[in-house]
């Protein structure tokens, strides 16, 4: 019977054109790509900044950001960004944005000019009482940012918020992108997660007071599709209250739909995991911040952060210790004052301790009252022949420890650690049932790395028409191998504990991950950040993992809004291929401190043709496109349909027309290496030619006046490109 069942599913996969399962493999392309960064990280976001059709990315690095421009040959040009903000406050100018503690970032076309602008949210760790700190919006000036000697064209209040992430959306569907900022709760802060609504081009209105969040201190948010109501909704998580929320955002105040308690939440990803046409939710759940991890025979990493209990760990070794410790963060005047060594409790004078078991002053540990007497207590027990390290009420911050021994460690013992919490920290797949997320008991706990799932991303990495999952794992003291979960086509996953070749470095503290096709080969790649935090032991590198690809087909598309916002955020796409429906939603690609590429990607298995695409635009327009060739990247206009489809983007001849709507002029730009030199024709909606411009100059960008045109809708054609452009004159 089991054999017949297996044969049935094999035959079904052939009938629908689905390729046989091929395990995807990644390779570390970090060094070859020219990405060279090691240090603190926090967030990153992908976007085609200069409109050459290749994805670039920006990293905040917790204060000292970098911009990586795609060279279109598999490599990146790293631009160190050191921008100044001395225009913020004339009376008390800031000399560097480093003081702003940069956190989340995201790209969005704020002014609908076709270029992606950059929003950065500040974290407020340095001075949470300073209300002058702002979030920052840098305008993209035709493919470049001016980061020097100015803060940008728009500055939005942050108050005392501890900013974490930001979501672009058009909640009121007026054609202009709005901003939702998400802020972490902390004692001394007064702000909430905020809504800045863009009423007209560049005019933002703070409507935070009208939102009425159930928990105003959500740290992450994204859009998802409520398939039952056929509307886009907001999903947000508030780790401090261990709660997940969904909201109807069509009107103010937002209406709470669902509240879900999920302890130890770290990240989420929204996608259709079981191919039923409804978007599900996968939630990753991370470990407790108190950990002890043995790296090898003579090396241990540990992290102690506690408020209500005392914990100890013991190292059995015949050797001496070298111990490096750090504080994240610590506000006291002397960091060494809470370190007590031996029975006398003497204080060290540096972060590096060299402790000998034969030294009398290192014998035993100082007497103290657990919880009430804060500190780190270290000493050697001559009877049991072990080193004892005790953390008591370390409410002032996390203490990472890096310990090496001169002789092998034969045993590690823990005391006071809440091991039971790890059993609960299984990452969950919540299925969509009539617009409500339901826990059907599906988890990814069948791997030793699952409990350390800090950040998660999903996508059809092997292009076999189902959504896979990748976890960027971490403990608080050492990265564990990242984990890949390959979807078998029905929401059941097979575990690859090596990350399918993208296991990553064990150095640092894994924090975020994103999916992108950076080389335009049709297969999704991965970018991992491994340096979340401020301490020495948290530092890590950026890692780029290139997908080795297989024989499966694919299609990708960039959507261009006209009546909708230019980015088409909120657009819902259905792809029909040989009887199989796949769905995607623009606005769901942002998650824990990361924003994936906004380019829509579908894997197609063995299918060589797409039956149809159905696009539900934010404006209400429903667009049906049939008989689409595979293995191409398309640009799809809200009014004109497919305006380009190319196998090799480099050297294409596509033209872009903006601003739209417009009042007095149009700019026509040729992308990539192309230059415009043709005839422009503008027709009214009755088909009459109302304007013709011949013998245009040979140029990347030309400008034409339309002052002589009456307000209304028009059609623009060029003899240099196929397709049409609908323009609106106001």
């Amino acid at each position: 019977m089991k054999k017949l069942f297996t044969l049935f599913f094999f035959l079904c996969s052939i009938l629908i054109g689905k390729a046989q399962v091929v395990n995807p493999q990644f390779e570390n392309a970090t060094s070859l790509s020219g990405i060279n960064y090691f240090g603190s990280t926090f967030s990153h976001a992908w976007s085609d900044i200069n409109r050459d059709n290749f994805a670039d990315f920006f990293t905040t690095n917790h204060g000292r950001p970098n911009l990586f421009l795609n060279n279109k040959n598999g490599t990146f040009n790293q631009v160190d960004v050191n921008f100044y903000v001395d225009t913020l406050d004339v009376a008390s100018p800031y000399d560097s944005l480093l003081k702003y503690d940069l956190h989340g970032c995201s790209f969005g076309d704020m002014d609908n000019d076709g270029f992606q602008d950059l929003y950065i949210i500040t974290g407020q760790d340095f001075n949470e009482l300073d209300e002058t700190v702002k979030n920052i919006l840098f305008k993209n000036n035709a493919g470049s940012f001016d980061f020097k000697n100015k803060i940008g064209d728009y500055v939005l209040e942050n108050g005392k918020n501890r900013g974490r992430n930001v979501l672009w959306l058009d909640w009121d569907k007026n054609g202009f992108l709005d901003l939702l900022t998400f802020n972490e709760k902390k004692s001394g802060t007064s702000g909430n997660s905020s809504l800045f609504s863009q009423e007209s081009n560049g005019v933002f209105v703070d409507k935070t007071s009208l939102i009425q969040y159930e928990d105003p201190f959500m740290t992450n948010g994204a859009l998802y599709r409520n398939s039952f109501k056929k509307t886009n909704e907001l999903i947000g998580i508030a780790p401090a209250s261990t709660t997940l929320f969904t909201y109807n955002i069509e009107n103010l105040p937002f209406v709470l739909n669902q509240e879900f308690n999920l302890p130890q939440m770290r990240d989420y990803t929204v996608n259709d995991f079981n191919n039923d046409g409804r978007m599900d939710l996968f939630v990753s759940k991370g470990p407790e911040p108190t950990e002890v991890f043995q790296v090898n025979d003579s090396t241990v990493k540990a992290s102690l952060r506690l408020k209500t209990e005392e914990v100890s760990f013991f190292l059995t070794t015949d050797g001496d210790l070298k111990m490096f410790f750090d504080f994240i963060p610590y506000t006291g005047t002397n960091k060494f004052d809470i370190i007590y060594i031996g029975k006398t409790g003497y204080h060290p004078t540096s972060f590096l301790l060299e402790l000998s078991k034969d030294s009398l002053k290192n014998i035993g540990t100082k007497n103290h009252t657990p919880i009430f007497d804060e500190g780190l207590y270290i000493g050697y027990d001559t009877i049991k022949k072990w080193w004892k390290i005790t953390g008591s009420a370390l409410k002032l911050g996390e203490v990472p420890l890096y310990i090496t021994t001169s002789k092998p460690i034969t045993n590690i013992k823990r005391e006071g650690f809440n091991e039971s919490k790890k059993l609960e920290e299984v990452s969950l797949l919540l299925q969509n049932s009539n617009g409500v997320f339901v826990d059907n008991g599906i988890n990814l706990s069948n791997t030793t790395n699952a409990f350390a799932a800090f950040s998660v991303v999903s996508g059809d990495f092997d292009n076999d028409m189902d959504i896979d999952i990748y976890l960027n794992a971490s403990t608080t003291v050492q990265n564990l191998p990242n984990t890949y979960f390959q979807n078998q086509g029905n929401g059941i996953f097979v575990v690859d504990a090596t990350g399918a070749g993208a296991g990553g470095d064990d150095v640092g503290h894994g924090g975020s991950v994103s999916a992108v096709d950076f080389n335009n080969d049709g297969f999704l790649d991965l970018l991992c950040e491994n340096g979340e935090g401020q301490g020495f032991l948290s530092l890590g590198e950026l890692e780029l993992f290139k997908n080795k690809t297989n024989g499966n087909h694919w299609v990708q598309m960039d959507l261009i809004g006209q009546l909708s916002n230019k980015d088409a955020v909120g657009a819902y796409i259905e792809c029909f291929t040989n009887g199989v429906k796949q769905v995607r939603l623009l606005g769901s690609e942002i998650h824990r401190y990361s924003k994936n590429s906004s380019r829509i990607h579908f894997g197609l298995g063995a299918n060589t043709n797409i039956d149809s695409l159905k696009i539900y635009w934010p404006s209400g327009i429903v667009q049906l496109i049939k008989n689409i060739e595979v293995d191409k990247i398309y640009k799809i206009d809200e009014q004109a349909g497919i305006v380009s489809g190319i196998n090799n983007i480099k050297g294409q001849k596509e033209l872009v027309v903006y601003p739209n709507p417009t009042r007095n002029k149009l700019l026509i730009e040729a992308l990539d290496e192309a230059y415009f030199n043709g005839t422009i024709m503008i027709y009214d909606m009755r088909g009459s030619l109302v304007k013709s411009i011949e013998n245009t100059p040979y140029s990347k960008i030309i400008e034409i006046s339309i002052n002589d045109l009456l307000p209304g809708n028009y059609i623009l054609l060029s003899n240099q490109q196929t397709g049409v452009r609908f323009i609106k004159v106001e």
Side-chain angles (χ1 to χ4, degrees), residues 51 107-118 137-142 145 153-154 168 175-179 198 200-204 561-562 564-567 658-662:
R51 293 206 319 206
F107 288 97
D109 188 357
M110 179 265 303
D111 50 2
N112 290 331
D113 66 350
F115 289 95
Q116 295 286 295
D117 309 299
L118 174 63
L137 176 56
F138 286 98
K139 189 178 184 314
N140 188 333
N141 297 309
F145 293 94
D153 297 79
Y154 303 86
W168 292 95
F176 294 101
L177 288 179
D178 314 301
L179 284 160
Q198 191 178 181
S200 59
N201 198 343
V203 180
F204 289 90
Q562 297 294 347
S564 305
N565 61 88
K566 185 68 71 173
D567 285 354
Y658 62 96
N660 193 12
T662 185

Side-chain angles (χ1 to χ4, degrees), residues 212-232:
Q212 299 180 13
Y213 285 129
E214 187 73 13
D215 188 326
F217 295 97
M218 294 187 297
T219 61
N220 291 282
L223 299 182
Y224 83 100
R225 183 73 170 183
N226 187 320
S227 56
F228 182 71
K229 298 180 180 179
K230 297 183 179 180
T231 57
N232 298 334

Side-chain angles (χ1 to χ4, degrees), residues 399-450:
V399 179
L401 301 165
Y402 184 88
I403 303 170
T404 60
T405 61
S406 60
K407 295 183 179 179
I409 299 167
T410 58
N411 187 37
I412 295 179
K413 179 183 176 182
R414 298 168 175 85
E415 186 176 276
F417 283 67
N418 194 342
E419 299 291 343
S420 64
K421 288 187 178 181
K422 290 182 180 179
L423 300 178
E424 302 169 0
E425 293 158 6
V426 292
S427 299
L428 295 174
L429 177 60
L430 305 178
Q431 294 181 319
N432 192 324
S433 177
N434 293 328
V436 178
F437 292 116
V438 177
D439 182 4
N440 288 337
I442 300 174
N443 65 68
L444 301 186
S445 60
N446 52 340
T447 173
T448 57
N449 300 346

Side-chain angles (χ1 to χ4, degrees), residues 60-87:
T60 61
N61 298 335
H62 223 155
R64 187 68 70 186
N66 294 110
L67 178 64
F68 292 84
L69 297 175
N70 199 321
N71 293 322
K72 301 184 292 186
N73 59 3
T75 69
F76 291 85
N77 178 31
Q78 181 174 332
V79 180
D80 293 327
V81 178
N82 184 17
F83 43 85
Y84 293 87
V85 292
D86 53 2
T87 60

Side-chain angles (χ1 to χ4, degrees), residues 1 4 63 70 164 176 182 244 260 278 305 330 403 479 524 550 554 607 647 690 697 699 711:
M1 185 69 179
L4 291 175
N70 199 321
R164 284 299 178 264
F176 294 101
F182 301 96
L244 180 146
F260 216 109
R278 296 178 291 187
R305 185 171 63 187
Y330 185 78
I403 303 170
N479 281 345
L524 295 176
N550 55 40
W554 53 272
N607 295 288
N647 291 306
V690 296
S699 176

